[in-house]
Amino acid sequence: MTPTPPVNSCGFPEDDRSNVPTAPESGIARPTWDEYFMTIATQVATRSTCLRRRVGAVLVHQKRILATGYNGAPRGLRHCAETGCLRQQLNVPSGQRHEICRALHAEMNALLQAAMYGIPVEGADLYCTTQPCILCAKMLINAGVKRIYMKEGYPDEMAVEMLKEADVELILVSSETQGSKQ
């Protein structure tokens, strides 16, 4: 009888990589986990249909991708490239009047994708190309996301304050800082 490998909290087998050579031993340059997931979030952002800001998000738990999302119009509806951007036409500054935006945010779409497929996100990390706005911050708090790795900030201090109050870590990931806490 073959022994059953240990499983993680999601029910997947744990990796046994004890015999895999590390990057220095093999001469292979490998990205850190933060670089890896942020690169994926950056690639996801290329699917965005927003005219003002292309954002990608990746929900991760125990180094496993749970769901991805990018900002754009709800499925089946015309994209902003076809309809134009009302916020841009009204000169609405970034970080304000989200309710007149036609699109869903990347973080919202990642949470919705997980929900559609019954994937729990409690305790997950979010890798996002931009700091979440207040609307996304509240959703991420309620979903149980514990850490948010971001490539760049966003002009929304209330979001930062709420995330800190909820003990959700905000971590800036860039080529210069590689994981500095905000």
Side-chain angles (χ1 to χ4, degrees), residues 4-88:
T4 306
V7 295
N8 63 24
S9 63
C10 295
F12 296 110
E14 288 289 346
D15 282 349
D16 178 13
R17 299 196 177 256
S18 56
N19 62 348
V20 177
T22 60
E25 294 167 0
S26 67
I28 298 170
R30 295 177 69 199
T32 66
W33 285 108
D34 291 344
E35 291 168 334
Y36 173 72
F37 292 124
M38 192 58 74
T39 299
I40 294 170
T42 301
Q43 184 63 34
V44 170
T46 65
R47 292 281 305 151
S48 170
T49 60
C50 180
L51 301 175
R52 293 178 73 168
R53 182 185 304 263
R54 299 178 88 180
V55 181
V58 180
L59 283 165
V60 175
H61 187 44
Q62 297 180 348
K63 299 179 183 166
R64 303 292 189 274
I65 296 172
L66 303 177
T68 65
Y70 53 87
N71 55 331
R75 65 180 171 173
L77 300 184
R78 293 179 297 147
H79 298 293
C80 301
E82 299 171 63
T83 64
C85 176
L86 183 57
R87 293 180 75 230
Q88 197 167 34

Side-chain angles (χ1 to χ4, degrees), residues 97-113:
R97 304 283 320 271
H98 299 290
E99 75 279 4
I100 62 172
C101 180
R102 182 172 184 80
L104 282 92
H105 292 184
E107 305 92 323
M108 294 175 184
N109 273 326
L111 289 170
L112 288 167
Q113 285 299 312

